[in-house]
Amino acid sequence: QSMCPARICRAMLLEIRRKGKENMSIPKTMRAIEITRPGGPEVLVLTQRAVPVPGVGQILIRMEAAGVNRPDALQRAGAYAPPPGASDLPGLEGAGTVAAIGPGVTRWRVGDAVCALLPGGGYAEFTVTHQDHALRIPIGMGMCEAAALCETYFTVWTNVFMRGALKGGETFLVHGGTSGIGTTAIQLAKAFGARVFATAGSDEKCAICRDLGAELAVNYHSENFVDAVKKATGGAGVDLILDMVGGDYIPRNISALSLEGRLVMIAFLGGPKAELNFAQVMMKRLTVTGSTLRPQSDQAKAAIAQGLLKHAWPLLDTGAIAPVMDSTFPLDQAAEAHRRLESAGHIGKIVLELG
């Protein structure tokens, strides 16, 4: 088969980049953002750190961009400790080129362009991750967009499609529809044939949710999402809810679910506790579950990566879906990026540029 001109050009550019990177030495130190103490964005400080060395099965990535996510802010505040063996630096996703490979690495070569899920350490010029947690950059996508993929796509894929078992024709509600998770969940669920509903905090944000593929977007400041989704489903309720709010949303989610419905929790911005009438869970035969991504095993994350490569990456290659980008900041303005993250105004993904 012959390759189209665009693919030939991309292949040539990747080969030129690979050869160039092979000839670049790896420095002993790097710029990085560290958390000096638990607190607000001001505790993020630019520093110098030793460049990490990849271990067995790991790759060293020369970072060009890093995604900024809610877990980073939780870690900064002292509420989300890194797992054993992970870097203490924040940053759970990014994109760049492979600078070195550790023993046993077979999937990548020095110079390969990758985006990756990270155990930590993304706010730095170099970071390490397991070889199976890196993915090729989708066709035609820039480094900043690629850096915004993995944390949200891994989270949505494992919780909506693996744990939540969403199928075409089912009804799906995601809270926080204009967050990184929300914009990803709307697009993927729509692409796989679900009826998609979302909540958001303004009429403008609701319009963005509809533009992304949501059939119904509920402004939670002016509408009751339980009433809205029941009306949209003829009183049946939705099959699956993805929630990162928690708190008083938990009993309301239970009310909004259909018979045999599933509630998947991934965060608790409104708190982890609620009073719940479990008679509704029993009578409607509901499933209530949840997960966190970072502590999962290398094998579990590798399985998620393979699912994404098979099912989601072809959609990214064609542009059928894409990360929604809010803003970019240079590495030394990581504090400003966190202020943007914690504001009520951001829509989609925030990225730090390192290249």
Side-chain angles (χ1 to χ4, degrees):
Q1 290 182 324
S2 62
M3 293 178 67
C4 71
R7 288 178 181 269
I8 293 172
C9 289
R10 176 176 171 79
M12 292 175 60
L13 287 171
L14 288 175
E15 186 63 22
I16 291 169
R17 168 174 279 180
R18 179 180 294 118
K19 294 298 184 183
K21 294 298 184 182
E22 286 176 348
N23 295 327
M24 292 177 66
S25 61
I26 299 171
K28 293 182 178 180
T29 62
M30 64 181 182
R31 295 186 307 145
I33 296 293
E34 68 179 8
I35 301 169
T36 55
R37 63 186 186 281
E42 70 280 357
V43 307
L44 298 173
V45 175
L46 186 67
T47 188
Q48 289 284 324
R49 287 284 188 97
V51 173
V53 177
V56 175
Q58 292 184 326
I59 57 174
L60 176 71
I61 302 173
R62 188 186 301 270
M63 297 284 282
E64 295 196 27
V68 177
N69 296 284
R70 288 282 179 183
D72 304 341
L74 290 174
Q75 180 178 335
R76 186 206 72 218
Y80 193 36
S87 171
D88 66 310
L89 301 174
L92 300 178
E93 65 180 351
T97 54
V98 177
I101 59 175
V105 171
T106 57
R107 291 192 59 211
W108 304 105
R109 294 186 297 168
V110 170
D112 283 343
V114 297
C115 53
L117 184 73
L118 310 173
Y123 291 17
E125 291 178 315
F126 292 86
T127 193
V128 293
T129 195
H130 194 284
Q131 65 169 338
D132 293 337
H133 304 167
L135 292 162
R136 64 171 178 82
I137 293 178
I139 294 170
M141 186 172 289
M143 284 290 183
C144 283
E145 289 179 294
L149 291 175
C150 286
E151 171 68 11
T152 49
Y153 273 75
F154 274 66
T155 297
V156 170
W157 189 257
T158 185
N159 286 290
V160 174
F161 295 94
M162 297 174 70
R163 183 172 295 274
L166 183 67
K167 299 177 180 63
E170 289 192 314
T171 48
F172 169 61
L173 169 64
V174 58
H175 293 300
T178 56
S179 66
I181 293 291
T183 54
T184 301
I186 290 170
Q187 292 182 81
L188 278 174
K190 179 69 173 180
F192 287 101
R195 294 180 62 196
V196 183
F197 308 141
T199 63
S202 70
D203 292 342
E204 175 196 8
K205 289 185 174 183
C206 285
I208 291 169
C209 292
R210 290 190 293 271
D211 289 343
L212 290 171
E215 173 184 328
L216 171 71
V218 181
N219 182 340
Y220 57 76
H221 288 302
S222 58
E223 298 178 79
N224 184 315
F225 74 81
V226 178
D227 294 340
V229 298
K230 284 192 172 182
K231 181 179 179 181
T233 57
V238 293
D239 297 303
L240 177 66
I241 298 176
L242 182 67
D243 183 29
M244 65 284 290
V245 180
D248 64 2
Y249 269 43
I250 297 174
R252 296 167 67 189
N253 288 330
I254 296 299
S255 296
L257 284 170
S258 66
L259 290 174
E260 308 282 357
R262 293 93 70 196
L263 170 62
V264 182
M265 303 295 309
I266 58 170
F268 296 103
L269 298 176
K273 297 180 180 180
E275 184 173 323
L276 186 62
N277 179 358
F278 268 85
Q280 296 179 65
V281 176
M282 295 167 63
M283 294 298 293
K284 293 202 287 185
R285 302 182 298 279
L286 305 179
T287 298
V288 179
T289 184
S291 74
T292 55
L293 179 61
R294 195 176 191 185
Q296 293 189 43
S297 69
D298 287 343
Q299 294 77 13
K301 293 174 185 175
I304 299 168
Q306 288 306 303
L308 285 169
L309 187 61
K310 180 179 180 180
H311 299 288
W313 252 235
L315 297 170
L316 289 164
D317 285 337
T318 62
I321 60 175
V324 176
M325 306 299 291
D326 178 84
S327 51
T328 60
F329 294 83
L331 180 64
D332 60 5
Q333 292 183 22
E336 289 304 313
H338 274 229
R339 291 187 181 97
R340 178 66 180 169
L341 177 72
E342 295 178 314
S343 75
H346 86 282
I347 295 170
K349 298 291 301 217
I350 299 168
V351 168
L352 297 175
E353 291 188 270
L354 294 102

